[in-house]
Amino acid sequence: MRKHQISRTLTMASLGCGFVGPVVGGWYKVLDRLIPGTTKVDALKKMLLDQGCFAPCFLGSFLSLTGALNGLSAQDNWAKLQRDYPDALIANYYLWPAVQLANFYLVPLYYRLAVVQCVAVIWNSYLSWKAHQL
């Protein structure tokens, strides 16, 4: 069994506070302006836009930033992104569409980030594992 990796924890905490929280929180505000309302159809539209446009870009950015913070060269980071991104995106689609549909339909805007962060504890464990594989 491997020891706890403090640098890995610090990398993920830095990304969470400096990138994930601000970007996702801002995205929810933009999304609510683009598609106002909380009907089932509105929630479905938000989820489709979130998962069709935002999630693929965000995931690629997250994996790239993690590689850079871990000291990968641009070439190694690109190779790792090409290797890991497809699997991570597929895993994203197993979890997040259902979570986001419920989130956009049932949860007021100012609680959405908190709901997502509860689910993200598990998701981020997966992403951390994926991002730190060599």
Side-chain angles (χ1 to χ4, degrees):
M1 182 153 205
R2 291 168 53 185
K3 278 178 46 178
H4 177 77
Q5 297 172 319
I6 293 172
S7 64
R8 183 173 168 175
T9 300
L10 291 174
T11 298
M12 294 303 289
S14 298
L15 279 169
C17 294
F19 177 69
V20 175
V23 171
V24 173
W27 167 242
Y28 287 157
K29 290 175 186 171
V30 168
L31 193 55
D32 223 46
R33 276 187 240 126
L34 290 173
I35 306 169
T38 57
T39 67
K40 289 179 185 176
V41 171
D42 295 330
L44 180 62
K45 288 178 186 176
K46 288 177 187 178
M47 183 275 294
L48 290 171
L49 190 56
D50 179 68
Q51 292 299 301
C53 297
F54 179 77
C57 297
F58 179 79
L59 184 58
S61 298
F62 179 88
L63 293 173
S64 298
L65 281 169
T66 304
L69 289 173
N70 286 329
L72 292 181
S73 69
Q75 186 177 19
D76 289 343
N77 204 3
W78 177 247
K80 185 165 178 23
L81 184 64
Q82 287 179 307
R83 183 190 77 203
D84 293 346
Y85 180 80
D87 289 342
L89 188 60
I90 290 168
N92 172 84
Y93 289 139
Y94 280 114
L95 174 65
W96 287 107
V99 170
Q100 292 294 56
L101 191 58
N103 198 27
F104 295 137
Y105 183 60
L106 301 171
V107 180
L109 175 61
Y110 46 89
Y111 291 124
R112 287 183 191 152
L113 186 58
V115 168
V116 165
Q117 291 308 315
C118 290
V119 177
V121 169
I122 296 164
W123 175 246
N124 290 341
S125 297
Y126 165 77
L127 277 185
S128 178
W129 169 78
K130 192 67 159 167
H132 290 87
Q133 283 184 316
L134 297 177

